[in-house]
């Protein structure tokens, strides 16, 4: 099967974008893995698919459906950096003439908006801190209260680490566990990241964030993403980390997040009823076509 694709990146988080507005490609999990493979395919952290909404969703003002597959071929609920690239793609491909669109994801509706400076702002919805909604199994654990938030003790297994870390658990439509570190450059991301990601207390696995507070308006962040590994940036991870930092009393309402791939700006009032807003770059890298084997395992 030969398909056309667009390669995009947002703060170094890179994507293959597929247009299915004229019909479904019907790709399997193995074919998504092939596309994401950096040796045999195009190479990407996630595969993003643009689809037309159902008639019912369109009647409710939804412009597009947004489908996300991780590099391991699994479908996931949300991708913040991808949402910005999604908005840039539909604008550049003239699939929509709107600067602001409403997009249906697996976890709910988001609203990306192109800004005059060329960046994209996304209404990422409200953060959820209830462990059951993340989801996180908090049975038998006693949280450590800080500010208006909580940090949960998480015992890590493995020869490399024999410790309990404290994590703030947050859902931004997908699950995140955020731990504070003194320096992201020396944080044990490669050692602790996989242990947190696949910890038994996260039944759907989790994105493991390592957050360094520089000041109340500036942080540094690394994220070991579920089903991907460490990426140069993670949009939902930045939103989750800032929301957690605000709840813990460590951050103000607007925060610059420096990732290894670039800077994102996250704004949240701290009110449970208000959305988190993420602003950052979205860039097309190249376009092409690729032959995907019909049979893959």
């Amino acid at each position: 099967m030969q398909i056309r694709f667009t390669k995009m990146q947002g703060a170094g988080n890179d994507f293959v974008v597929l247009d299915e507005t004229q019909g479904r490609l019907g790709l399997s999990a193995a074919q998504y893995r092939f596309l994401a493979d950096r040796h045999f395919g195009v190479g990407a952290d996630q595969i993003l698919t643009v689809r037309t909404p159902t008639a019912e969703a369109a009647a409710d003002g939804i412009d597009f459906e947004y489908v996300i597959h991780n590099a391991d071929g699994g479908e996931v609920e949300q991708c913040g950096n991808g949402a910005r690239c999604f908005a840039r793609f539909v604008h550049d491909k003239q699939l929509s003439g709107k600067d602001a669109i409403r997009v249906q994801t697996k976890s709910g509706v988001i609203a990306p908006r192109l800004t005059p400076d060329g960046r994209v702002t996304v209404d990422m919805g409200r953060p959820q801190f209830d462990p059951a909604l993340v989801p996180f199994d908090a049975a038998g654990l006693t949280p450590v209260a800080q500010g208006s938030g909580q940090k949960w003790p998480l015992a890590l297994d493995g020869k490399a680490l024999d410790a309990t870390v404290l994590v703030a658990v947050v859902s931004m439509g997908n699950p995140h566990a955020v731990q504070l570190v003194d320096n992201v450059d020396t944080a044990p991301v490669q050692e602790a990241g996989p242990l947190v990601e696949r910890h038994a207390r996260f039944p759907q696995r989790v994105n493991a964030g390592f957050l360094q507070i520089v000041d109340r308006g500036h942080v540094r962040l690394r994220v070991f993403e579920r089903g991907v590994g460490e990426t140069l940036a993670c949009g939902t991870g930045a939103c989750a980390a800032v929301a957690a930092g605000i709840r813990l009393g460590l951050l103000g309402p607007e925060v610059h997040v420096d990732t290894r791939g670039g800077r994102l700006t996250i704004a949240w009032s701290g009110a449970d009823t208000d959305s988190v807003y993420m602003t950052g770059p979205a860039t097309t890298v190249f376009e092409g076509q690729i032959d995907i084997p019909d049979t893959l395992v």
Side-chain angles (χ1 to χ4, degrees), residues 44-170:
D45 294 324
Q46 281 92 15
I47 311 298
L48 313 180
T49 303
V50 183
R51 294 178 180 171
T52 54
T54 64
E56 182 180 5
D60 287 336
I62 302 300
D63 296 294
F64 296 97
E65 182 183 357
Y66 170 32
V67 180
I68 308 125
H69 287 83
N70 273 344
D72 65 359
E75 186 179 353
V76 293
E77 307 92 341
Q78 188 57 278
C79 176
N81 287 325
R84 298 197 315 278
C85 289
F86 185 102
R88 172 63 61 196
F89 179 88
V90 300
H91 181 271
D92 291 352
K93 293 295 183 181
Q94 299 182 333
L95 298 176
S96 173
K98 301 177 181 178
D99 286 337
I101 56 176
R102 298 186 72 231
V103 179
Q104 179 70 56
T105 74
K106 193 175 181 181
S107 65
V109 177
I110 58 172
R113 176 175 53 84
L114 299 177
T115 63
D117 64 4
R119 296 186 299 167
V120 181
T121 294
V122 186
D123 177 343
M124 294 295 294
R126 295 175 292 176
Q128 297 284 351
F129 298 93
D130 183 338
L133 298 177
V134 172
F136 173 66
D137 177 10
L141 299 181
T142 302
V144 176
Q146 181 175 337
S148 60
Q150 296 174 320
K151 295 184 290 188
W152 295 89
L154 194 69
L156 299 184
D157 242 354
K159 294 181 181 178
L161 292 166
D162 181 19
T164 295
V165 297
L166 291 173
V167 296
V169 298
V170 191

Side-chain angles (χ1 to χ4, degrees), residues 151-239:
K151 295 184 290 188
W152 295 89
L154 194 69
L156 299 184
D157 242 354
K159 294 181 181 178
L161 292 166
D162 181 19
T164 295
V165 297
L166 291 173
V167 296
V169 298
V170 191
S171 173
M172 287 302 311
N174 57 352
H176 293 269
V178 181
Q179 59 181 292
L180 296 171
V181 297
D182 293 331
N183 188 331
V184 290
D185 294 328
T186 57
V189 176
Q190 297 304 323
E191 297 80 16
L195 301 179
V196 175
E197 180 209 5
R198 295 182 176 274
H199 200 284
R201 287 190 177 272
F202 295 98
Q204 297 177 10
R205 296 189 292 164
V206 73
N207 300 288
F210 298 79
L211 174 66
Q212 174 189 342
I213 307 289
V214 179
D215 58 45
R216 290 186 64 82
H218 180 201
V219 302
R220 301 176 68 206
L221 180 70
R222 292 171 66 184
V223 180
F224 192 95
E225 289 198 49
R226 176 183 57 167
V228 182
E230 185 180 5
T231 56
L232 291 178
C234 176
T236 57
C239 293

